[in-house]
Amino acid sequence: MYLKEEDHKNVADKKIAFFLEKVRTKYLLNTSNLNKEFIQHLAAKSGNEIENTNYLINTIITLYKRSECSKEELLILHKMIEKFFNKQAHGNTK
């Protein structure tokens, strides 16, 4: 749907906004400051590993600050968000 329009930055921003909204509502976390403490709380509440959560949040911060986003970066972001919520939904399996 969105990928055909070639506006990957716009889609990435929407995915980020959706992710942060879900974090606010599902885990009752304030997303205005995505710092180390936030990452630790999010990992603990979601059941995801701290390293994966840290990588996801740092990717979100990086992509949000940039003016452009490639198709590959958008796909990586999508997979990271999907993996984050799928892992949480199925329990923390190693």
Side-chain angles (χ1 to χ4, degrees):
M1 163 172 76
Y2 285 111
L3 293 179
K4 293 180 182 175
E5 296 176 11
E6 298 295 324
D7 189 1
H8 306 304
K9 171 63 174 158
N10 184 35
V11 177
D13 286 347
K14 288 180 180 178
K15 283 195 157 299
I16 291 168
F18 170 79
F19 173 81
L20 295 175
E21 178 60 28
K22 194 165 182 177
V23 165
R24 283 190 293 272
T25 57
K26 186 170 186 149
Y27 305 116
L28 304 176
L29 292 173
N30 183 338
T31 60
S32 62
N33 193 2
L34 305 181
N35 58 16
K36 185 177 180 179
E37 183 179 342
F38 168 80
I39 292 168
Q40 291 171 341
H41 286 294
L42 179 58
K45 285 193 171 201
S46 68
N48 280 277
E49 295 177 10
I50 189 80
E51 295 83 9
N52 294 339
T53 305
N54 187 53
Y55 187 56
L56 171 59
I57 297 303
N58 284 325
T59 299
I60 284 172
I61 291 167
T62 300
L63 290 177
Y64 189 75
K65 289 179 179 178
R66 293 184 32 209
S67 60
E68 293 183 0
C69 176
S70 71
K71 181 178 180 179
E72 292 77 21
E73 291 167 327
L74 177 58
L75 290 173
I76 290 169
L77 175 67
H78 172 75
K79 287 177 184 177
M80 291 174 75
I81 291 173
E82 192 173 71
K83 181 179 177 184
F84 179 88
F85 286 119
N86 284 342
K87 187 159 194 164
Q88 191 277 326
H90 294 71
N92 194 2
T93 58
K94 290 187 179 181

